[in-house]
């Protein structure tokens, strides 16, 4: 059974990143639970929540840059990394 990114929160883990050019990076994320599939549509976005060095919760909104037909095991975002 699959889950839609926009419908159900899930914990993700970063499994790789790649430098595209300069400060542009692509991050690949996969669900922490390996039996969970990731389904999304072109144009969907994701909200990522993380704690910074001071312990404050930060939220980022990112467009999903991978194609839904690439895999149901991971998603990618591409962003300027600061």
């Amino acid at each position: 059974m699959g889950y839609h990114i926009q419908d159900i929160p899930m914990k993700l883990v970063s499994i790789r990143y790649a430098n595209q050019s300069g400060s542009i990076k692509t991050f690949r994320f996969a669900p922490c639970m390996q039996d969970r599939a990731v389904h999304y549509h072109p144009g969907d976005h994701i909200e990522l929540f993380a704690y910074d060095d001071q312990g404050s919760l930060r939220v980022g909104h990112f467009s999903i840059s991978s194609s839904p037909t690439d895999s149901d095991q991971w998603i990618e975002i591409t962003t300027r990394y600061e």
Side-chain angles (χ1 to χ4, degrees), residues 14-33:
S14 178
I15 57 174
R16 115 180 171 166
Y17 78 93
N19 291 322
Q20 301 301 325
S21 65
S23 61
I24 305 298
K25 298 191 185 324
T26 296
F27 295 87
R28 181 176 288 181
F29 296 94
C32 290
M33 297 172 57

Side-chain angles (χ1 to χ4, degrees), residues 41-55:
H41 300 91
D44 279 355
H45 75 282
I46 186 171
E47 293 178 331
L48 297 177
F49 298 83
Y51 290 95
D52 65 15
D53 294 339
Q54 289 77 38

Side-chain angles (χ1 to χ4, degrees), residues 28-74:
R28 181 176 288 181
F29 296 94
C32 290
M33 297 172 57
Q34 293 181 355
D35 62 336
R36 291 187 74 175
V38 185
H39 298 285
Y40 56 96
H41 300 91
D44 279 355
H45 75 282
I46 186 171
E47 293 178 331
L48 297 177
F49 298 83
Y51 290 95
D52 65 15
D53 294 339
Q54 289 77 38
S56 298
L57 183 63
R58 301 291 182 178
V59 180
H61 303 266
F62 302 93
S63 293
I64 299 172
S65 59
S66 54
S67 169
T69 60
D70 286 344
S71 173
D72 66 354
Q73 301 302 307
W74 47 263

